[in-house]
Short mmCIF file of all heavy atoms in Angstrom, two decimals:
data_model
loop_
_atom_site.label_atom_id
_atom_site.label_comp_id
_atom_site.label_asym_id
_atom_site.label_seq_id
_atom_site.Cartn_x
_atom_site.Cartn_y
_atom_site.Cartn_z
N LEU A 1081 15.96 11.71 31.19
CA LEU A 1081 15.13 11.43 30.01
C LEU A 1081 15.91 11.72 28.73
O LEU A 1081 15.89 10.94 27.78
CB LEU A 1081 13.86 12.28 30.03
CG LEU A 1081 12.80 11.93 31.08
CD1 LEU A 1081 11.69 12.97 31.08
CD2 LEU A 1081 12.25 10.54 30.85
N GLU A 1082 16.60 12.85 28.71
CA GLU A 1082 17.39 13.23 27.54
C GLU A 1082 18.48 12.19 27.27
O GLU A 1082 18.72 11.80 26.13
CB GLU A 1082 18.02 14.61 27.77
CG GLU A 1082 18.75 15.14 26.56
CD GLU A 1082 19.29 16.55 26.78
OE1 GLU A 1082 18.72 17.31 27.58
OE2 GLU A 1082 20.29 16.89 26.12
N GLY A 1083 19.11 11.73 28.33
CA GLY A 1083 20.16 10.71 28.18
C GLY A 1083 19.63 9.39 27.64
O GLY A 1083 20.25 8.76 26.78
N TRP A 1084 18.48 8.97 28.14
CA TRP A 1084 17.87 7.74 27.62
C TRP A 1084 17.56 7.86 26.14
O TRP A 1084 17.80 6.93 25.37
CB TRP A 1084 16.60 7.40 28.40
CG TRP A 1084 16.84 6.85 29.78
CD1 TRP A 1084 17.98 6.26 30.25
CD2 TRP A 1084 15.92 6.86 30.86
NE1 TRP A 1084 17.82 5.89 31.56
CE2 TRP A 1084 16.55 6.24 31.97
CE3 TRP A 1084 14.61 7.31 31.02
CZ2 TRP A 1084 15.93 6.07 33.19
CZ3 TRP A 1084 13.99 7.15 32.24
CH2 TRP A 1084 14.64 6.53 33.32
N ALA A 1085 17.03 9.03 25.75
CA ALA A 1085 16.72 9.25 24.33
C ALA A 1085 18.01 9.25 23.51
O ALA A 1085 18.07 8.69 22.43
CB ALA A 1085 15.96 10.56 24.15
N ARG A 1086 19.05 9.89 24.03
CA ARG A 1086 20.34 9.94 23.33
C ARG A 1086 20.95 8.55 23.20
O ARG A 1086 21.62 8.24 22.22
CB ARG A 1086 21.30 10.89 24.07
CG ARG A 1086 22.60 11.10 23.34
CD ARG A 1086 23.54 12.11 24.01
NE ARG A 1086 23.56 12.06 25.45
CZ ARG A 1086 22.99 12.97 26.26
NH1 ARG A 1086 22.33 13.99 25.75
NH2 ARG A 1086 23.08 12.85 27.56
N ASP A 1087 20.70 7.71 24.18
CA ASP A 1087 21.21 6.33 24.13
C ASP A 1087 20.44 5.46 23.14
O ASP A 1087 20.78 4.30 22.94
CB ASP A 1087 21.15 5.68 25.51
CG ASP A 1087 22.17 6.28 26.48
OD1 ASP A 1087 23.11 6.95 26.00
OD2 ASP A 1087 22.01 6.07 27.70
N GLY A 1088 19.40 6.01 22.54
CA GLY A 1088 18.66 5.28 21.52
C GLY A 1088 17.46 4.51 22.03
O GLY A 1088 16.87 3.72 21.29
N LEU A 1089 17.07 4.71 23.28
CA LEU A 1089 15.89 4.02 23.80
C LEU A 1089 14.63 4.52 23.10
O LEU A 1089 14.53 5.71 22.78
CB LEU A 1089 15.75 4.24 25.31
CG LEU A 1089 16.46 3.23 26.22
CD1 LEU A 1089 17.96 3.33 26.07
CD2 LEU A 1089 16.06 3.43 27.66
N THR A 1090 13.71 3.62 22.86
CA THR A 1090 12.43 4.00 22.25
C THR A 1090 11.54 4.61 23.33
O THR A 1090 11.81 4.47 24.54
CB THR A 1090 11.71 2.76 21.68
OG1 THR A 1090 11.39 1.87 22.76
CG2 THR A 1090 12.56 2.06 20.63
N ASP A 1091 10.47 5.26 22.89
CA ASP A 1091 9.52 5.82 23.86
C ASP A 1091 8.96 4.72 24.76
O ASP A 1091 8.74 4.94 25.95
CB ASP A 1091 8.38 6.54 23.14
CG ASP A 1091 8.80 7.92 22.62
OD1 ASP A 1091 9.89 8.39 22.97
OD2 ASP A 1091 8.01 8.52 21.88
N GLU A 1092 8.74 3.55 24.20
CA GLU A 1092 8.22 2.44 24.99
C GLU A 1092 9.22 2.04 26.09
O GLU A 1092 8.83 1.80 27.23
CB GLU A 1092 7.92 1.25 24.07
CG GLU A 1092 7.20 0.13 24.77
CD GLU A 1092 6.65 -0.90 23.81
OE1 GLU A 1092 6.80 -0.75 22.58
OE2 GLU A 1092 6.07 -1.88 24.31
N GLN A 1093 10.49 1.99 25.75
CA GLN A 1093 11.52 1.63 26.74
C GLN A 1093 11.66 2.72 27.80
O GLN A 1093 11.84 2.42 28.99
CB GLN A 1093 12.86 1.39 26.04
CG GLN A 1093 12.87 0.15 25.17
CD GLN A 1093 14.09 0.08 24.26
OE1 GLN A 1093 14.54 1.10 23.72
NE2 GLN A 1093 14.62 -1.12 24.07
#
Side-chain angles (χ1 to χ4, degrees):
L1081 290 173
E1082 185 176 333
W1084 285 338
R1086 185 176 38 254
D1087 289 344
L1089 271 66
T1090 64
D1091 283 350
E1092 188 168 359
Q1093 292 168 321

